[in-house]
């Protein structure tokens, strides 16, 4: 039993006459006169392997133990298939049952269980069609993202998970502390904790789980030119929406000597290339999502790959929205943040392809974005995609020391905390740009899954930290 054994996906390529071994978990067993059919899967591909067992080959007693969920190894031969739609099939000579799954208790029995129910048995759901497909696409997508950047000379960097700076006020943060340990976990700990000083804490000051690696990534870019992070981020979002997790993964490239145009070009190339990679390498899984989850999936993905992204300013977009005559739930006016209904109208109805909006009002964007000459807008860019709206958010960063310092103060942020960030503008500052993409949002887009809890193996949301 070596990890280099054959996967089920390889068995489909073997010609008739080949002896073969198949390991996996039983999906179903069906007995008819003189023959049993067992479907097994090992997660290596979308397709199950159908194992044919002729009566008398395997003792009746053993056959009974081969129930849904059991883990097995079949030894047999690849033979020509009399059935239509397949050239070969797997004929078993013998079986080993590693672990039984008592049909009276195995929770993953029936087809068509709801996603809500499957979340409660997230430790088993990867054995089913949908979640096998989701996590294969997740794996390939991560690989395609690394490949995209490495192929272009970007360096992969790791930024801290524990941080003492609230990067940009991006969201509520989780505190990291050892004070609780010092006080035990009883009811008295709470009061004692309140009275304690952060100077006594592990880091000597308040520390948190990071909400973004961007500011740290900028420091590496201003020395290594093109870098990217792909790491976990944490936000104590209390919203309980289908688009927010408390723990999610973020991809953040940062490029020195790069303007907003360069940033937009990278974002467009990035989405196209990663999606194309998935179309090429996960076709069976995407086909399934297209059939069962989101009927427009493949057509939108092909469309994104093949169309030039429209580029327009926020001001122009607000103008078009205002003139659209659409009965939006949220009003649109210059200075307002666009809602996804607006973003979807722009991409789906007005333009009919992805749109990159630029030059947003500075008051709805972060302090580090480069200010335009008009004094009102900043060099921000959001990439909006049909079906979901914003998928990427980025900007050219403010590289001028004085302007940045003034903006930090204006926004009421603690100047002292940003001494190192400001230093980057004191010594060898350069125009630079970058963007951020939530990995799970990307996965929702490419799979059509509607709840972000269903594109990560074990979700962390308010009240939920099982597994
Ligand atoms: P939203 O408006 O959807 O809350 P945001 O404006 O807070 O997003 P950013 O701070 O720009 O998001 O974060 C960068 C990217 O991280 C977003 O474009 C999105 O893809 C992703 N993201 C943000 N918050 C979450 C979350 N709670 N769970 C999963 N992904 C997230
Ligand atoms: Mn948010």
């Amino acid at each position: 039993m070596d990890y280099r054994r054959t996967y089920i996906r390889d068995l489909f390529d073997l010609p008739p006459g080949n002896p073969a071994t198949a390991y996996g978990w039983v999906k179903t067993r069906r007995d008819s006169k003189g023959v049993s059919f067992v479907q097994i899967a090992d997660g290596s591909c979308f397709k199950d392997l159908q194992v044919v067992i002729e009566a008398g080959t395997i003792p009746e007693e053993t056959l009974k133990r081969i129930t849904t969920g059991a883990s097995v190894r079949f030894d047999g031969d690849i033979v020509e298939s009399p059935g239509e739609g397949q050239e070969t099939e797997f004929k078993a000579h013998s079986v080993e049952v590693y672990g039984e799954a008592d049909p009276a208790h195995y929770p993953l029995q029936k087809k068509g269980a709801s996603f809500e129910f499957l979340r409660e048995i997230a430790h088993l759901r990867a054995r089913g069609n949908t979640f096998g497909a989701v996590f294969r696409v997740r794996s390939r997508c991560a690989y395609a993202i690394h490949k995209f950047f490495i192929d272009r000379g970007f360096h992969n960097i790791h930024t801290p998970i524990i941080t003492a700076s609230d990067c940009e006020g991006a969201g509520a943060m989780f505190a990291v502390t050892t004070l609780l340990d010092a006080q035990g976990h009883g009811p008295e700990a709470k009061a004692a904790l309140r009275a304690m000083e952060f100077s006594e804490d592990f880091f000597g000051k308040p520390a948190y789980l990071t909400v973004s690696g961007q500011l740290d990534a900028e420091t590496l870019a201003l020395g290594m030119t093109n870098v990217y992070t792909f790491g976990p981020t944490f936000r104590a979002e209390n919203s309980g929406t289908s688009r927010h997790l408390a723990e999610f993964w973020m991809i953040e490239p940062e490029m020195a000597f790069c303007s907003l145009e360069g940033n937009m070009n990278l974002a467009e190339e990035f989405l196209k290339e990663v999606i194309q990679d998935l179309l090429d390498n996960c076709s069976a899984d995407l086909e399934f999502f297209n059939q069962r989850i989101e009927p427009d999936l493949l057509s939108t993905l092909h469309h994104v790959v093949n169309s030039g992204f429209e580029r327009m300013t926020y001001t122009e977009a607000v103008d078009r929205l205002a003139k659209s005559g659409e009965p939006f739930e949220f009003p649109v006016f210059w200075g307002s943040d666009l809602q996804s209904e607006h973003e979807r109208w722009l991409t789906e109805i007005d333009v009919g392809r992805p749109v990159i909006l630029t030059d947003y009002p500075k008051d709805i964007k972060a302090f580090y974005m480069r200010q335009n000459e008009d004094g009102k807008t900043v060099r921000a860019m959001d990439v909006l995609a049909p079906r979901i709206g914003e998928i990427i958010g980025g900007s050219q960063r403010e590289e001028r020391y004085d302007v940045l310092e003034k903006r930090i103060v204006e926004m009421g942020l603690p100047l002292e905390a940003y001494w190192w960030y400001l230093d980057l503008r004191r010594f060898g500052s350069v125009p630079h740009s970058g963007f951020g993409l939530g990995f799970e949002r990307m996965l929702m887009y490419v799979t059509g899954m509607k709840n972000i809890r269903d594109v990560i193996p074990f979700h962390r949301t308010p009240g939920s930290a099982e597994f």
Side-chain angles (χ1 to χ4, degrees):
M1 279 201 284
D2 189 86
Y3 77 91
R4 270 167 295 209
R5 68 180 180 276
T6 332
Y7 294 113
I8 283 178
R9 67 160 180 248
D10 304 319
L11 299 180
F12 298 112
D13 299 331
L14 288 182
N18 247 283
T21 300
Y23 295 83
W25 289 265
V26 175
K27 285 265 188 73
T28 57
R29 192 192 83 223
R30 187 162 53 83
D31 303 315
S32 64
K33 216 185 272 161
V35 61
S36 294
F37 299 98
V38 180
Q39 302 279 128
I40 65 169
D42 66 353
S44 62
C45 63
F46 185 77
K47 230 163 112 182
D48 300 337
L49 179 72
Q50 175 166 288
V51 178
V52 182
I53 308 168
E54 278 171 13
T57 352
I58 288 170
E60 200 58 28
E61 281 312 296
T62 312
L63 201 59
K64 276 194 201 133
R65 298 166 63 213
I66 304 176
T67 58
T68 301
S71 49
V72 293
R73 187 192 77 223
F74 282 107
D75 289 295
D77 286 314
I78 304 294
V79 296
E80 240 164 274
S81 171
E84 267 184 46
Q86 56 186 28
E87 269 135 51
T88 58
E89 59 185 36
F90 185 103
K91 192 170 159 196
H93 298 157
S94 63
V95 68
E96 174 163 356
V97 179
Y98 292 104
E100 295 176 14
D102 185 348
H105 297 289
Y106 185 59
L108 199 69
Q109 304 262 8
K110 52 180 193 333
K111 284 199 164 161
S114 73
F115 290 151
E116 287 75 13
F117 170 70
L118 291 172
R119 255 170 246 151
E120 292 168 18
I121 52 161
H123 58 304
L124 295 171
R125 66 179 176 170
R127 296 181 185 185
N129 284 344
T130 306
F131 291 93
V134 167
F135 300 136
R136 274 189 300 277
V137 170
R138 187 177 168 111
S139 169
R140 181 72 207 190
C141 192
Y143 173 70
I145 287 168
H146 283 295
K147 184 170 183 309
F148 174 86
F149 287 119
I150 299 288
D151 283 355
R152 281 164 181 73
F154 282 65
H155 303 288
N156 181 206
I157 55 159
H158 297 128
T159 52
I161 289 170
I162 299 176
T163 175
S165 74
D166 166 5
C167 171
E168 44 173 295
M173 305 180 84
F174 291 102
V176 176
T177 177
T178 52
L179 289 179
L180 210 62
D181 245 23
Q183 290 301 316
H185 299 272
E188 68 284 359
K190 227 180 190 175
L193 195 61
R194 217 173 281 131
M196 284 181 83
E197 295 291 331
F198 278 113
S199 59
E200 296 171 43
D201 204 349
F202 194 91
F203 297 105
K205 54 182 170 179
Y208 308 93
L209 294 179
T210 187
V211 293
S212 157
Q214 181 197 315
L215 303 194
D216 290 299
E218 284 186 51
T219 71
L220 276 285
L222 267 64
M224 298 182 73
T225 307
N226 289 338
V227 300
Y228 74 103
T229 68
F230 187 162
T233 44
F234 307 85
R235 295 186 188 182
E237 314 258 18
N238 222 346
S239 48
T241 73
S242 59
R243 298 157 48 82
H244 291 92
L245 293 166
E247 176 180 295
F248 62 100
W249 290 69
M250 191 127 82
I251 297 113
E252 295 174 285
E254 193 68 36
M255 298 83 73
F257 309 103
C258 182
S259 65
L260 192 71
E261 277 67 34
N263 204 8
M264 288 193 277
N265 293 341
L266 184 80
E268 181 169 343
E269 272 177 54
F270 171 82
L271 284 178
K272 288 179 172 176
E273 189 163 312
V274 171
I275 291 174
Q276 185 63 58
D277 181 283
L278 297 176
L279 288 169
D280 293 342
N281 294 289
C282 297
S283 53
D285 292 324
L286 295 184
E287 193 66 54
F288 166 78
F289 292 125
N290 193 60
Q291 272 175 26
R292 301 290 292 277
I293 305 290
E294 168 62 54
D296 292 330
L297 185 71
L298 287 176
S299 61
T300 4
L301 294 183
H302 282 293
H303 186 61
V304 169
V305 168
N306 294 314
S307 49
F309 293 12
E310 176 85 16
R311 297 177 187 191
M312 76 172 83
T313 63
Y314 164 92
T315 303
E316 159 97 29
V318 166
D319 212 45
R320 292 192 187 202
L321 284 158
K323 288 188 184 132
S324 71
E326 291 283 324
F328 293 120
E329 187 187 340
F330 296 91
V332 191
F333 52 91
W334 200 95
S336 65
D337 213 352
L338 299 184
Q339 305 293 324
S340 63
E341 56 172 343
H342 308 132
E343 297 172 344
R344 293 191 59 173
W345 180 83
L346 283 166
T347 55
E348 291 166 24
I349 313 281
D350 190 34
V351 177
R353 54 203 161 94
V355 180
I356 309 183
L357 290 190
T358 62
D359 303 290
Y360 282 70
K362 67 176 181 189
D363 292 332
I364 57 170
K365 290 290 181 187
F367 76 92
Y368 50 70
M369 299 192 180
R370 193 180 198 282
Q371 285 185 51
N372 284 319
E373 302 313 314
D374 63 11
K376 293 189 303 189
T377 58
V378 288
R379 299 245 77 191
M381 61 147 206
D382 281 2
V383 182
L384 316 179
R387 237 182 54 231
I388 56 161
E390 180 188 335
I391 186 157
I392 285 179
S395 66
Q396 182 171 333
R397 319 305 191 191
E398 184 56 76
E399 85 283 13
R400 297 163 296 185
Y401 185 95
D402 299 345
V403 184
L404 181 63
E405 185 184 45
K406 190 156 160 271
R407 190 67 186 146
I408 291 174
V409 172
E410 235 171 51
M411 293 184 75
L413 297 166
L415 204 52
E416 330 76 72
Y418 294 97
W419 67 273
W420 51 273
Y421 191 68
L422 282 159
D423 256 9
L424 297 173
R425 281 74 180 167
R426 271 175 76 193
F427 310 115
S429 188
V430 296
H432 64 288
S433 300
F435 64 77
L437 166 77
F439 187 46
E440 286 77 17
R441 296 274 177 91
M442 173 79 179
L443 289 171
M444 288 172 79
Y445 195 64
V446 297
T447 61
M449 295 297 284
K450 305 293 182 293
N451 194 310
I452 198 164
R453 292 165 182 77
D454 295 332
V455 294
I456 189 163
F458 303 109
H459 69 271
R460 300 290 176 251
T461 47
S464 176
E466 196 63 46
F467 308 108

